[in-house]
Amino acid sequence: MNLRKRRQFQRIFTGIILGIGAAPFTAHAQTQEIVPYDKVQVPEKVMAALDAARAGKEIWKPRFKSVSYTVVTSDSRLPGSGHAYRIDLQSQPNGLLRANESFGVEKFQKLSFGHLFSLKVQGIYESGMTSTSQTTLLVGSLPNKLEIGTSFSIYTESVQLPKNGKLPTNTNTLSCKVKDIYAASTIYPALTGNAIEMDCYDTRIFLEDLGIALSLPGRSETKNYLRSEIVRFKVEK
């Protein structure tokens, strides 16, 4: 097996992790206190900005109590290259999602909006390092419906905790544009309603009946050698 290609695929798989909202990780020695995930509070100004962006826009409201799904991602050029990752989501009273994500040995806890971007993240990495981050600024707006051609942008800044003046502020801009709409059953037979395919640098597929976005290749990306397939999807409403 070509080691160079395998390493390339590993980097792409890591990109999938980042694509679902994990904060960038700045490597440094684990000399600081690990801040417990449940002790991290979302700043009031961040929640106020999010509330203003989503006010009166029902499409972004979660329509479930919990969702759990597993995806297998593989590279058709590399036999035996399949990797499975699992996502567990719980809807919160404030309309956010508590996420537990498992990418093999790397695991993340997140508080996210629509499974599009995160307001706080704690990650345990392959190296054994634990990193906790908090969103400190959010700017942008959200549309009240998603049609082909609809676009939106959310800018966020986050810091690693405990705060350290030597570490930079992480910035991220999520810019999305709707490029296709089709039956959600196309990506998993039991799903209902529409799948709204968005170009957000990588592809996100928003499930209208559930109010969440998945990071998966779109149906138009048939020439790509990467394959991602949902092999399990469970919903509690």
Side-chain angles (χ1 to χ4, degrees), residues 41-52 134-138:
Q41 301 298 316
V42 178
E44 290 184 4
K45 67 177 183 179
V46 173
M47 283 304 303
L50 177 58
D51 288 343
Q134 172 196 57
T135 295
T136 55
L137 179 67
L138 186 151

Side-chain angles (χ1 to χ4, degrees), residues 22-35 40 119-123 125 129-136 157-171:
F25 174 58
T26 303
H28 61 288
Q30 190 83 60
T31 57
Q32 299 184 23
E33 172 191 0
I34 296 174
V35 179
V40 179
L119 304 181
K120 64 176 183 176
V121 180
Q122 185 169 82
Y125 295 84
M129 299 283 287
T130 297
S131 174
T132 306
S133 66
Q134 172 196 57
T135 295
T136 55
E157 294 182 358
S158 63
V159 296
Q160 289 188 39
L161 300 175
K163 293 182 180 179
N164 181 339
K166 296 180 180 179
L167 297 177
T169 296
N170 293 311
T171 64

Side-chain angles (χ1 to χ4, degrees), residues 148-210:
I148 292 177
T150 300
S151 61
F152 63 92
S153 181
I154 298 290
Y155 170 83
T156 57
E157 294 182 358
S158 63
V159 296
Q160 289 188 39
L161 300 175
K163 293 182 180 179
N164 181 339
K166 296 180 180 179
L167 297 177
T169 296
N170 293 311
T171 64
N172 183 65
T173 300
L174 176 74
S175 296
C176 299
K177 184 174 183 178
V178 177
K179 62 179 184 179
D180 203 358
I181 299 175
Y182 42 86
S185 59
T186 302
I187 61 174
Y188 192 76
L191 292 174
T192 61
N194 286 329
I196 301 173
E197 186 176 316
M198 302 185 295
D199 182 1
C200 307
Y201 179 73
D202 62 342
T203 298
R204 309 289 181 91
I205 298 179
F206 186 81
L207 301 179
E208 194 171 23
D209 276 8
L210 295 177

Side-chain angles (χ1 to χ4, degrees), residues 21-167:
F25 174 58
T26 303
H28 61 288
Q30 190 83 60
T31 57
Q32 299 184 23
E33 172 191 0
I34 296 174
V35 179
Y37 173 86
D38 288 326
K39 296 291 186 182
V40 179
Q41 301 298 316
V42 178
E44 290 184 4
K45 67 177 183 179
V46 173
M47 283 304 303
L50 177 58
D51 288 343
R54 64 179 174 174
K57 300 165 184 176
E58 291 296 308
I59 191 171
W60 301 105
K61 183 178 180 180
R63 297 171 180 82
F64 60 88
K65 291 181 180 178
S66 66
V67 163
S68 177
Y69 65 95
T70 301
V71 176
V72 173
T73 299
S74 61
D75 184 331
S76 61
R77 304 167 303 173
L78 301 175
S81 65
H83 289 267
Y85 62 89
R86 173 172 173 157
I87 310 294
D88 296 303
L89 305 171
Q90 290 185 328
S91 179
Q92 305 297 294
N94 59 3
L96 299 179
L97 302 177
R98 180 160 184 157
N100 286 284
E101 305 176 355
S102 178
F103 297 85
V105 297
E106 297 194 338
K107 302 183 187 301
F108 299 87
Q109 292 186 77
K110 301 178 186 176
L111 185 67
S112 77
F113 176 77
H115 208 33
L116 275 170
F117 57 87
S118 298
L119 304 181
K120 64 176 183 176
V121 180
Q122 185 169 82
I124 301 174
Y125 295 84
E126 186 174 6
S127 64
M129 299 283 287
T130 297
S131 174
T132 306
S133 66
Q134 172 196 57
T135 295
T136 55
L137 179 67
L138 186 151
V139 179
S141 61
L142 295 162
N144 57 15
K145 55 185 176 180
L146 294 172
E147 301 174 332
I148 292 177
T150 300
S151 61
F152 63 92
S153 181
I154 298 290
Y155 170 83
T156 57
E157 294 182 358
S158 63
V159 296
Q160 289 188 39
L161 300 175
K163 293 182 180 179
N164 181 339
K166 296 180 180 179
L167 297 177

